[in-house]
Amino acid sequence: MLEPSEINVQIAAAPFLRWSGSKARLVSILERSAPKTFRSYIEPFAGSACLFFRMRPNRATLGDINPEVIDVYTAVRDNPSEVHRYLASIPVSSDAYYILRELDRTTLTLEQRAAQLIYLMKGCFNGVYRTNRKGRFNVPLGSRIYAIPTLQELRAASSLLHGATLISGDFQAALADVQPGDFVYLDPPYPTTTRYRGEYGYAARFDDEDKRRLVAAAKQLTERNVNVMLSYVHDKEIIEELEGWSRMYESVRRTVAGGVKFRTDINEMIMTNYRTTS
Ligand SMILES: C[S@@+](CC[C@H](N)C(=O)[O-])C[C@H]1O[C@@H](n2cnc3c(N)ncnc32)[C@H](O)[C@@H]1O
């Protein structure tokens, strides 16, 4: 009898991180709106990197200001079996969730930390990554723990990630080596209307100054013949600044805060600095 790890089924790479703000529901329209050909794919606000996993580019750069996100991709790229071994050893239960959440990350290996984050995100309330001011993940368990990725799924992700440069840091760092003919997909956090409570971690707060830096970067990329697609909420300032860009809207059901009764339709805005064929 074969061991499960010996059954080598070819499956396509797919997102394995559950992530609030993921563009899973928008990914088909994003894919249709992307340029048909490009040199390299750059996603500076990667999160669960839905569009990267949908487009499966040979050459890519993924960035995120949250180092844990980049560490997960590094661990899965370089050692999917070890990440899976740890994941498979964690019971699927609420006790296990809270024990894992309280583990001191500094005592864990890269692969153990990756398994910890993948598991916690599968179980946490609304898939929200949130930390306290000391940087400790503090999201309670949600209604269920979603399916943990299989070894085959992590291996498929690993082989796609082998073509990717992974950059932990501000979006500017992921844009540093962009060349004419590249395709950049920008998906920054939406503005926070209430007091910031650590969503995406304290370093990942995205304020008006960050928005201005992003607009300036988008203009510079346009001057350098880089194809850019931006997804955001409707924003008059951005529309005025990025005059001449194509724009479309897509209504998507989202959980805004705190559970089912706060689910609402959000009009997502997609802007491109090139003409789309969709
Ligand atoms: C809306 S989410 C991206 C979701 C992603 N497109 C997906 O499909 O899962 C925004 C991401 O930007 C990251 N982020 C926030 N501020 C950033 C910054 N200044 N530079 C780079 N990444 C940042 C957050 O950690 C978060 O993962």
Side-chain angles (χ1 to χ4, degrees), residues 17 19-24 30 43-51 63-66 69 73 129 169-172 185-190 199-201 203-206 210 213 231:
L17 206 52
W19 204 248
S20 137
S22 115
K23 292 299 171 289
L30 292 173
E43 187 168 352
F45 301 90
S48 66
C50 279
L51 187 58
D64 202 290
I65 204 163
N66 184 337
V69 171
Y73 290 133
Y129 178 95
D170 181 61
F171 66 89
Q172 301 275 19
Y185 170 48
L186 301 171
D187 184 30
Y190 292 167
E199 290 86 346
Y200 297 135
R205 176 190 191 127
F206 205 77
D210 294 313
R213 288 193 302 121
S231 48

Side-chain angles (χ1 to χ4, degrees), residues 18 97 100-101 115-124 137:
R18 182 165 165 253
Y97 177 90
L100 197 68
R101 196 183 78 163
Q116 184 195 34
L117 187 69
I118 293 171
Y119 184 103
L120 291 178
M121 295 312 297
K122 291 289 182 191
C124 68
F137 186 80

